Amino acid sequence: MVFSSLSFLIFIMVFFPLFFLSGKRLRPAVLMSASLFFYMHVRTFYIIVTIIWIFVNYFILFRLYAAVNSGCVNSRRKKFYFAAGLCFNILALIVFKYDYFLTDNANALLHAIKPSISLPYVNLLVPLGISFITFKSISFLIEVYNGNYKNKIGLFNYSQYILFFPGVLAGPIDRPAKLMPQLENLNRDFDSADFRKGLGFILMGLFQKAVIADRISLLISGGLNNPRNSTGAELLLFVLLYSVQIYCDFAGYSNMAIGAAKLFGIDIMQNFDRPYFAKSISEFWRKWHISLSSWLRDYLFLPLAFRYTRKFTEKSFSVKNIDRYSYVIAVLVTMLIAGVWHGAGWTFIVWGLLLAFYMIFGFYTKKIRRRIFKKIGFGQNSPLKSFIQISVNFILITFAWIFFRAQDLSSALITIRKILYIPFGNYSPGAEHQTIFSFEMIIAIVLVLAYFTIEYLQYSGREINKSINSMPAVLRYSFYFFAVCFILIAGYFSTIQFIYAQF
Amino acid sequence: MRSSDTIKKILLTLILAAGIFATLSSKTYYLWNLLIIPELDYNSFEKSVRYGDLYRMSRVTAFKEDIPYPPPELIYNSVDESDIISAGDSFFLLPINGLKFAAALEKYSGKKIYDATQFDVEYGKRPAAMLTIKGFNRDKEKIFILECVERYSHERAKTKYLASVNEVVFKYLYLDANILSLSSAEEWLQRSVILRTPLEFKADAYFKFFRRLPEISSIYTLNPPMLFYNEDRDYAGIKPDSVYIEETANSLKKLSVLLKEKYNLVLLYVVIPNKYSLYGEYVNPDFKYNNYIPALTESLRSKGVHTFDTYTLLKENSNNELLYYRSDTHFNEKGRDLLVKECANMISLISGESEKSK
């Protein structure tokens, strides 16, 4: 169910009032029904797989919890259940999500050896939100294993945590320590302030999704799907706009998820913090898809960089460079997994490795860059320096998105080659092709600029929300009314799926 | 109880009532019909005209096409008494007016047909799974017509038709209860008088000012007024090389062998051209067809799989008439008739071959 659809509106119109009108004892059941309904809406079959998944995970988690709390710090049982939980989740993810990718590549290899041999596709129906469910499950395992989560875990509440509808399809990947206590205690009364805030987030998300992201999608999809049919100049504009599209699409989804949860009085984590105003790739990664990047940081990067690779690199490299090499290996592994997590394809692997390369390059050139800026005469807080850093960062990120968006590596390379060498081809595109000079393209660019101006004002410390809230009631509600009208008139409410829902 | 609490409860109850009404409207015949615009609804038999699927998505008046709609004639033969089994996707549920493909073929060929498509289009995606479920008598040889639209042909042949696990999974698909689907409630709202005026006004205004249609049907031409499905246009950008063709043909060959050995069925594969493949030059004068269907036909024939070149057939026999609806993705009666005649010829040919081999 797409958050920006009429289906979701009807869904909320039924379950949100039902939640508060039902007695406090019934609320967990109502919320669970809402989550199950949301999940089963597309295909009932998905829930069968997911329920088995939850049962197996819960069984392992339950045993792990008992082993951790048995008093023995390094018990074998604890390690066994932890390893079993990790293996189960990772293997299941591979089987469900990477079947096509692995079979395709295995067949390509087999074909080179003996053309008549080929492996069949398993072709399983992939449960919705499988990547997010896996990361949530692993998150719980790690928190319990490390002794950070000490509360008792019931099967019902655990299922509620995994299936909680606002984040089940595309995150945010909330940590158990934050979400579980809220799900265990659903006794709060209907709060009109929460309701207003929730609607505010949903409206903001709708604006990002329907007015910006989907508008851009209509303008650039044809060109990016068939880069051969566009000039380099067009493709350059399309990839720049794609950077905006993917941000507004995913941030829009996250805001609507936050808003939907808020309607039920539940707080889930922010997923974006104006990432295109980051001054380095590392900072961008801290501000983009925060729930995933912090997950990767806490559960993969830091353990790799400071624990495991240290042992490994002591044997392989000189001790003098140990931290550098640890960093390099940890970044490479983390970003490779980030790439693979997004999708089963070489384009995502290249995207992940490219980001890793940026980060490593940035790490090694930090001192040199600092010296150059000093020589030019830029101070610590020079606006021009910030502008250059933000711009360079945006260009590098946009370059990486080319691989993320491309249907295959050759399309990505064609796009890059055309942008670099053939900016103005003599291709005559015909009526089906969106040219960069259309009236709607200009409108889209104006909207994008307006949106980023608002983000810039927020970035530079202006609190726009507070200004709106401090308006007299008549003005405030007029503002809301016009905002809704504007979104309905200027938005595209088609069936365009959220980009991150496919992961 | 404080008055503000009472007001909150009343408001929440009103929201709930509206939500339940919208949900029930999509589930119950009487409520569905209460506010619906019949000609925008496939399920309703009340009006004598219909609109094409692309128009129903775009709602731009410039592309409105009244399609006469006599009630559909369906065929109800059992699997065992039939000479032919047909399965496909939406093309076999059409044209909008007149006889459906299988019914027209039955009339033209004089053979009895079991049309699986009218029960579920999933059969056309997973034929092996369907046949396992049906468990028909394999003593008598039958012809199995498998239809697929051009844009899905490669993907389905490569990944779906032969996937063995689907035979198990397929059964569970029936657990999908429509009762949980809110998309029908959404459809009801969009086709109801409630949203008719604002939706059509907005669509017309966007088209007037921006020449823009919703993404799914955003490709158009005004001379003649015609809409195209986006996926069709995207597929036209693919250059099917020999590997691509061979992948499709090899999978279909495997399916053909499997059907013969396991079910005593002779496969007749019918790939229907995308609308854009036939009429792309109306949109883009430089358009050149990627030649997928003729190349696949040649490859399949060389492997002994029965098929025919639908693209060349439709392209060369149109007599300057449109064979597809202007406002719909699918063929019209004229397009259907050309394909039905050729299908019937192929059936005679296959039957003749079978007789000879006996």
Side-chain angles (χ1 to χ4, degrees):
Chain A
M1 198 185 298
V2 184
F3 279 170
S4 52
S5 67
L6 279 169
S7 290
F8 184 69
L9 177 71
I10 298 167
F11 168 83
I12 284 290
M13 280 168 71
V14 173
F15 282 103
F16 152 69
L18 200 62
F19 179 79
F20 285 107
L21 289 172
S22 58
K24 287 177 182 171
R25 275 189 178 182
L26 278 176
R27 279 187 194 165
V30 174
L31 188 61
M32 178 58 93
S33 310
S35 294
L36 286 171
F37 192 104
F38 186 84
Y39 199 78
M40 290 158 75
H41 172 252
V42 180
R43 272 211 188 285
T44 318
F45 177 75
Y46 291 141
I47 199 68
I48 299 170
V49 182
T50 312
I51 284 176
I52 295 169
W53 188 301
I54 288 172
F55 269 102
V56 175
N57 260 309
Y58 180 73
F59 171 75
I60 296 170
L61 194 69
F62 187 77
R63 306 297 299 179
L64 178 68
Y65 181 85
V68 169
N69 292 291
S70 64
C72 185
V73 180
N74 274 322
S75 78
R76 273 189 181 180
R77 270 199 307 151
K78 177 179 145 181
K79 284 183 180 164
F80 170 77
Y81 285 117
F82 180 60
L86 283 185
C87 288
F88 170 74
N89 281 289
I90 292 166
L91 278 176
L93 185 66
I94 288 171
V95 169
F96 277 111
K97 195 171 170 180
Y98 302 110
D99 161 35
Y100 281 59
F101 179 68
L102 295 175
T103 313
D104 264 342
N105 285 288
N107 280 341
L109 271 176
L110 285 171
H111 195 77
I113 301 162
K114 199 176 178 189
S116 58
I117 304 174
S118 66
L119 298 172
Y121 294 90
V122 182
N123 199 17
L124 291 166
L125 281 177
V126 184
L128 292 172
I130 187 169
S131 312
F132 294 91
I133 290 175
T134 312
F135 271 35
K136 268 181 156 179
S137 310
I138 293 177
S139 178
F140 221 134
L141 280 170
I142 297 174
E143 292 297 317
V144 170
Y145 178 76
N146 288 338
N148 296 334
Y149 192 85
K150 291 193 164 65
N151 298 348
K152 273 201 167 177
I153 309 156
L155 176 62
F156 184 84
N157 286 331
Y158 177 73
S159 311
Q160 191 94 278
Y161 165 76
I162 297 289
L163 291 171
F164 184 48
F165 79 87
V168 73
L169 295 186
I173 309 163
D174 265 286
R175 304 290 175 86
K178 187 181 178 196
L179 194 54
M180 281 295 278
Q182 296 186 76
L183 294 172
E184 283 162 0
N185 181 17
L186 296 168
N187 289 338
R188 60 170 68 181
D189 286 327
F190 172 71
D191 182 354
S192 47
D194 275 353
F195 180 71
R196 270 203 309 275
K197 272 185 198 165
L199 282 188
F201 273 113
I202 290 174
L203 271 185
M204 187 61 199
L206 263 180
F207 176 80
Q208 289 169 308
K209 168 73 177 161
V211 180
I212 307 270
D214 285 358
R215 175 181 296 278
I216 291 173
S217 168
L218 294 174
L219 298 171
I220 67 172
S221 292
L224 290 177
N225 288 344
N226 297 306
R228 285 180 184 86
N229 295 352
S230 304
T231 65
E234 284 170 331
L235 287 171
L236 177 62
L237 180 65
F238 293 162
V239 295
L240 286 170
L241 285 175
Y242 181 70
S243 290
V244 180
Q245 185 207 339
I246 191 169
Y247 167 53
C248 286
D249 187 278
F250 194 23
Y253 176 91
S254 299
N255 277 330
M256 282 189 261
I258 293 167
K262 196 78 190 157
L263 290 181
F264 290 79
I266 294 167
D267 288 315
I268 56 177
M269 72 185 290
Q270 289 277 2
N271 227 4
F272 290 88
D273 180 20
R274 294 178 284 277
Y276 288 142
F277 288 95
K279 292 173 188 165
S280 68
I281 301 294
S282 308
E283 191 188 347
F284 168 81
W285 199 234
R286 286 194 299 275
K287 288 164 170 274
W288 176 275
H289 200 176
I290 297 166
S291 65
L292 174 70
S293 57
S294 61
W295 194 102
L296 290 169
R297 182 197 63 208
D298 295 346
Y299 299 142
L300 195 65
F301 175 78
L302 292 177
L304 272 172
F306 293 109
R307 211 183 294 168
Y308 305 116
T309 51
R310 187 176 289 252
K311 286 178 194 165
F312 167 66
T313 50
E314 271 172 358
K315 289 174 194 164
S316 313
F317 305 105
S318 72
V319 179
K320 203 175 109 187
N321 291 328
I322 187 166
D323 286 328
R324 278 189 176 189
Y325 288 121
S326 296
Y327 177 84
V328 169
I329 289 169
V331 166
L332 275 173
V333 172
T334 307
M335 295 315 292
L336 181 67
I337 287 174
V340 173
W341 180 87
H342 279 89
W346 290 106
T347 48
F348 292 109
I349 292 173
V350 172
W351 172 79
L353 291 176
L354 194 57
L355 284 183
F357 169 74
Y358 289 161
M359 285 158 100
I360 294 163
F361 185 79
F363 181 74
Y364 275 95
T365 58
K366 204 172 182 179
K367 282 181 187 167
I368 303 167
R369 281 182 291 129
R370 208 176 284 160
R371 255 182 259 152
I372 293 171
F373 277 129
K374 210 174 178 184
K375 264 198 174 172
I376 297 170
F378 287 147
Q380 190 68 29
N381 297 318
S382 156
L384 188 57
K385 181 185 162 192
S386 298
F387 177 75
I388 292 170
Q389 285 175 320
I390 290 169
S391 305
V392 170
N393 208 45
F394 180 72
I395 291 165
L396 290 174
I397 294 293
T398 300
F399 183 74
W401 287 136
I402 293 175
F403 290 94
F404 193 91
R405 171 63 174 79
Q407 300 192 332
D408 48 47
L409 281 180
S410 73
S411 300
L413 294 175
I414 289 168
T415 306
I416 294 165
R417 199 174 66 89
K418 281 202 161 189
I419 290 172
L420 293 177
Y421 300 115
I422 325 166
F424 305 106
N426 56 0
Y427 175 74
S428 160
E432 98 281 25
H433 193 81
Q434 184 63 49
T435 67
I436 52 178
F437 303 110
S438 70
F439 182 39
E440 201 179 10
M441 184 66 89
I442 294 163
I443 297 238
I445 292 169
V446 169
L447 281 167
V448 168
L449 291 175
Y451 175 73
F452 279 99
T453 307
I454 296 169
E455 277 220 345
Y456 178 74
L457 289 174
Q458 289 174 323
Y459 171 75
S460 53
R462 306 267 177 88
E463 295 194 28
I464 295 171
N465 286 349
K466 269 193 180 174
S467 314
I468 295 168
N469 286 336
S470 61
M471 284 177 183
V474 178
L475 270 182
R476 197 168 69 237
Y477 283 105
S478 304
F479 173 81
Y480 290 144
F481 177 75
F482 283 112
V484 171
C485 290
F486 180 75
I487 291 169
L488 289 177
I489 292 166
Y492 284 96
F493 296 92
S494 59
T495 49
I496 303 175
Q497 262 290 358
F498 285 93
I499 295 172
Y500 262 73
Q502 65 188 288
F503 305 136
Chain B
M1 188 184 283
R2 285 182 300 148
S3 62
S4 65
D5 287 344
T6 316
I7 292 168
K8 278 177 191 171
K9 282 202 169 171
I10 291 169
L11 281 174
L12 288 170
T13 311
L14 286 175
I15 295 171
L16 179 64
I20 289 173
F21 180 73
T23 312
L24 288 180
S25 298
S26 65
K27 308 293 175 196
T28 51
Y29 181 75
Y30 293 106
L31 281 176
W32 173 280
N33 276 344
L34 197 63
L35 296 169
I36 204 81
I37 305 162
E39 61 267 34
L40 290 177
D41 178 21
Y42 262 150
N43 305 322
S44 167
F45 300 120
E46 283 179 14
K47 283 267 172 162
S48 56
V49 291
R50 280 288 179 280
Y51 300 137
D53 56 2
L54 295 170
Y55 168 73
R56 284 184 291 123
M57 285 183 256
S58 76
R59 305 283 279 270
V60 175
T61 320
F63 299 100
K64 207 171 191 174
E65 175 190 22
D66 285 351
I67 301 169
Y69 182 71
E73 287 179 41
L74 301 171
I75 45 175
Y76 296 102
N77 302 313
S78 71
V79 184
D80 279 342
E81 70 177 323
S82 301
D83 309 299
I84 297 166
I85 296 171
S86 65
D89 52 27
S90 54
F91 275 91
F92 267 24
L93 294 169
L94 288 151
I96 295 170
N97 50 351
L99 292 174
K100 302 295 159 217
F101 191 93
L105 184 60
E106 183 167 289
K107 219 168 196 176
Y108 196 84
S109 68
K111 305 257 183 194
K112 284 196 167 181
I113 300 178
Y114 174 79
D115 183 24
T117 320
Q118 69 191 39
F119 299 108
D120 199 326
V121 285
E122 286 293 325
Y123 290 137
K125 294 174 194 165
R126 299 174 174 87
M130 173 198 77
L131 296 166
T132 307
I133 290 167
K134 290 292 163 193
F136 61 91
N137 184 357
R138 53 155 292 154
D139 293 345
K140 183 183 154 194
E141 186 184 85
K142 291 183 169 74
I143 295 171
F144 183 74
I145 303 176
L146 179 61
E147 174 266 326
C148 183
V149 69
E150 183 183 0
R151 61 180 174 274
Y152 300 142
S153 163
H154 174 259
E155 188 228 332
R156 280 189 194 163
K158 193 180 161 191
T159 63
K160 288 215 159 58
Y161 292 155
L162 290 163
S164 55
V165 77
N166 276 327
E167 292 177 19
V168 181
V169 171
F170 194 77
K171 294 175 187 175
Y172 293 102
L173 290 176
Y174 282 95
L175 287 172
D176 276 330
N178 277 333
I179 202 158
L180 285 183
S181 174
L182 281 180
S183 54
S184 51
E186 179 165 345
E187 249 178 71
W188 175 78
L189 264 178
Q190 283 186 348
R191 292 179 194 179
S192 69
V193 288
I194 302 169
L195 289 182
R196 175 182 208 162
T197 311
L199 277 179
E200 286 179 358
F201 176 78
K202 187 178 165 181
D204 279 339
Y206 263 68
F207 187 69
K208 198 172 174 187
F209 290 115
F210 301 130
R211 291 283 163 201
R212 166 63 56 194
L213 295 163
E215 186 189 41
I216 204 158
S217 60
S218 66
I219 317 300
Y220 67 91
T221 162
L222 286 170
N223 190 22
M226 223 175 182
L227 292 168
F228 295 88
Y229 191 26
N230 261 21
E231 282 187 6
D232 275 15
R233 186 273 315 270
D234 292 345
Y235 190 81
I238 289 174
K239 307 278 176 242
D241 55 13
S242 58
V243 178
Y244 187 89
I245 299 289
E246 283 304 297
E247 270 179 352
T248 321
N250 285 335
S251 299
L252 287 163
K253 171 69 187 169
K254 278 184 192 168
L255 178 69
S256 150
V257 173
L258 175 102
L259 291 172
K260 182 65 194 157
E261 285 176 356
K262 206 169 170 185
Y263 305 104
N264 199 13
L265 292 172
V266 180
L267 174 68
L268 169 58
Y269 186 63
V270 182
V271 51
I272 311 277
N274 295 332
K275 186 177 178 183
Y276 196 84
S277 299
L278 290 170
Y279 302 112
E281 70 259 26
Y282 287 176
V283 180
N284 177 3
D286 296 333
F287 170 76
K288 278 193 182 66
Y289 177 50
N290 66 19
N291 211 39
Y292 173 68
I293 294 177
L296 178 67
T297 306
E298 206 181 309
S299 177
L300 283 173
R301 279 182 179 159
S302 72
K303 293 178 198 307
V305 179
H306 298 287
T307 187
F308 57 97
D309 182 354
T310 51
Y311 173 79
T312 311
L313 175 80
L314 296 179
K315 199 73 186 167
E316 289 180 356
N317 294 287
S318 68
N319 295 326
N320 291 326
E321 288 180 291
L322 285 179
L323 302 176
Y324 282 52
Y325 296 111
R326 289 191 289 103
S327 61
D328 196 280
T329 344
H330 303 91
F331 51 58
N332 56 23
E333 282 176 295
K334 287 176 196 123
R336 178 206 61 197
D337 285 345
L338 281 172
L339 291 164
V340 160
K341 278 177 194 168
E342 192 54 33
C343 236
N345 289 341
M346 288 299 298
I347 288 164
S348 308
L349 199 78
I350 295 166
S351 304
E353 277 176 14
S354 300
E355 286 301 315
K356 264 188 197 173
S357 66
K358 278 174 193 168

